[in-house]
Amino acid sequence: MTAPTTAPGTSDAPDPTDRPHAPPAVLRAAAPALLGYAAVRALGLVALALWSAAVGKSPHTLLTARWDSLWYTRVAEHGYGWSVTLPDGSVHSNLAFFPLLPWLERAVAGVTPLSCADAGLVVSWCASLAAAWGLFAVGDRLYGPRAGVCLAVLWGALPVGIVASMAYSEALFTALAAWGLYAVVRRHWVSAGLLAAAAGLTRPVGAAVVAAVWVAAALWIARERRVTWRLVLGVLLAPAGAAAYVLWVGLRTGGGLFGYLDVQRQWGNGFDGGAAFARFVADKFTSPLGALAGIGLAAGVVLVVRLYGAGVRQRQPVPVLVYTGIVTALALCASGYFGSKPRLLLPAFGLLLPLAAGLARWRTGRAATALGALALVSAVYGAFWLNGSGPP
């Protein structure tokens, strides 16, 4: 296994291994990753269209006007302040949804003929390409261009990869996180801080990007025993987005620092260390059919843990491990709706780095065949999933 080409932290100057490239050259280097990722997602959309036509549903509606996409669209159209009261008395408020995606939806709708819902789809598709590019950049930086291409295509071929083609915030968040981590490993502190701030305005798990910036900065200070203004500015900028929104929600609800947590609690979301998820899996073993589902869930958790362990053995940069660990822990150990967990793991792209590095060592034809098979499975599963329970 090839070791990372650099560890964040030996100088605050631009990394000496960096070489300036003209934009066309940069785009040419990333082109195989972008084309491969686009092909995977196009296959997924074709499968969705065919499946939806067979069952009499609209693929456009599935992509833009169901589940969380409806909440984002309403925020874009009408702002915050709308809620739904359930029969049990709990209140689902749109304050649970971070603002960057709705802001972009409103901006795109304001300068085009598109509705906010369709603008959300455009934003998500563009962000997913930016995410694929960012994943290529990270993989290339750590293990070479072939690994970068494999990482981008693997991410697109995940079973729940269809979410990146929906008017959801996962693609936007992953793009910001990937480029933020790329800036971290290159020691571009101000860029890393700005990207972390934007990620913090996109999803609560933006805290993982903030932590990556802070850990990288702490490691750099420990090695260099000095502090620079770029580093300080990046560290201060990183939490600004999430902090601003959480504090605003607290002021709006009167809940102070814990106002946003109160909003999430009304949605049934919280962090219990995985106790609720463990009970959910255990309950599956009350019937023979359920036991199969329970075994599948347990195997999935074991696979995630093993992939993270492989990343540790692979000696991934510490900030990458920190980011991946936090995203994974929040996904698996939250007490919210369990059907959302695969979607919440989508930004944990560091789990795919060991697989990408391994595929990069295969011959091109063999690797392409494996990725093509995964893409086909992903396309079929995504079409089945969205026409069924979907990603709430």
Side-chain angles (χ1 to χ4, degrees):
M1 190 69 67
T2 305
T5 58
T6 185
T10 57
S11 171
D12 192 50
D15 191 324
T17 64
D18 285 341
R19 295 182 299 275
H21 297 287
V26 174
L27 184 57
R28 281 197 300 272
L34 296 176
L35 291 173
Y37 173 79
V40 170
R41 292 283 16 103
L43 178 63
L45 292 174
V46 169
L48 176 65
L50 294 174
W51 194 299
S52 300
V55 298
K57 292 185 178 180
S58 165
H60 178 265
T61 299
L62 294 174
L63 293 172
T64 63
R66 289 189 69 186
W67 306 295
D68 287 5
S69 57
L70 290 172
W71 289 88
Y72 284 119
T73 298
R74 190 173 184 91
V75 172
E77 292 175 340
H78 306 292
Y80 286 102
W82 187 72
S83 61
V84 174
T85 301
L86 302 184
D88 63 1
S90 61
V91 177
H92 285 187
S93 168
N94 63 2
L95 290 169
F97 296 88
F98 276 50
L100 186 56
L101 177 58
W103 287 348
L104 293 174
E105 289 180 352
R106 186 183 304 173
V108 172
V111 297
T112 67
L114 297 174
S115 66
C116 284
D118 288 336
L121 197 60
V122 169
V123 169
S124 185
W125 286 9
C126 292
S128 71
L129 286 172
W133 196 342
L135 294 178
F136 166 78
V138 172
D140 179 23
R141 181 73 180 177
L142 299 182
Y143 304 110
R146 286 174 62 90
V149 172
C150 291
L151 180 62
V153 177
L154 270 174
W155 185 70
L158 287 172
V160 295
I162 189 66
V163 173
S165 297
M166 300 176 66
Y168 267 47
S169 62
E170 272 73 15
L172 177 60
F173 175 78
T174 303
L176 294 167
W179 284 110
L181 287 178
Y182 182 65
V184 165
V185 298
R186 294 181 68 196
R187 300 189 296 279
H188 291 186
W189 301 115
V190 177
S191 297
L194 288 170
L195 288 161
L201 283 171
T202 307
R203 296 188 62 80
V205 76
V209 189
V210 176
V213 175
W214 284 358
V215 166
L219 291 173
W220 188 89
I221 293 171
R223 288 167 181 156
E224 297 296 308
R225 301 193 179 187
R226 63 189 179 92
V227 178
T228 70
W229 70 267
R230 292 185 185 86
L231 183 146
V232 171
L233 183 56
V235 166
L236 292 177
L237 284 171
Y245 183 68
V246 168
L247 289 174
W248 178 79
V249 171
L251 290 173
R252 186 180 177 98
T253 61
L257 292 175
F258 302 102
Y260 182 76
L261 295 179
D262 292 336
V263 170
Q264 286 285 4
R265 193 174 299 111
Q266 288 285 327
W267 276 81
N269 297 325
F271 187 86
D272 62 1
F277 185 42
R279 289 194 298 270
F280 176 78
V281 174
D283 289 343
K284 294 293 182 182
F285 289 90
T286 57
S287 67
L289 185 60
L292 292 176
I295 291 171
L297 288 170
V301 173
V302 170
L303 176 62
V304 166
V305 173
R306 287 180 63 86
L307 286 173
Y308 187 77
V312 174
R313 294 190 298 275
Q314 196 180 42
R315 301 187 66 183
Q316 293 176 11
V318 173
V320 175
L321 291 172
V322 167
Y323 165 80
T324 304
I326 292 176
V327 173
T328 303
L330 290 177
L332 294 181
C333 299
S335 58
Y337 180 70
F338 303 108
S340 298
K341 292 190 182 296
R343 170 175 66 89
L344 298 179
L345 281 168
L346 192 63
F349 53 83
L351 296 173
L352 300 176
L353 274 170
L355 299 176
L359 280 170
R361 295 196 298 270
W362 291 11
R363 282 180 293 196
T364 301
R366 185 183 177 198
T369 300
L371 290 171
L374 286 173
L376 183 60
V377 172
S378 172
V380 173
Y381 179 78
F384 163 76
W385 192 40
L386 286 201
N387 279 281
S389 62

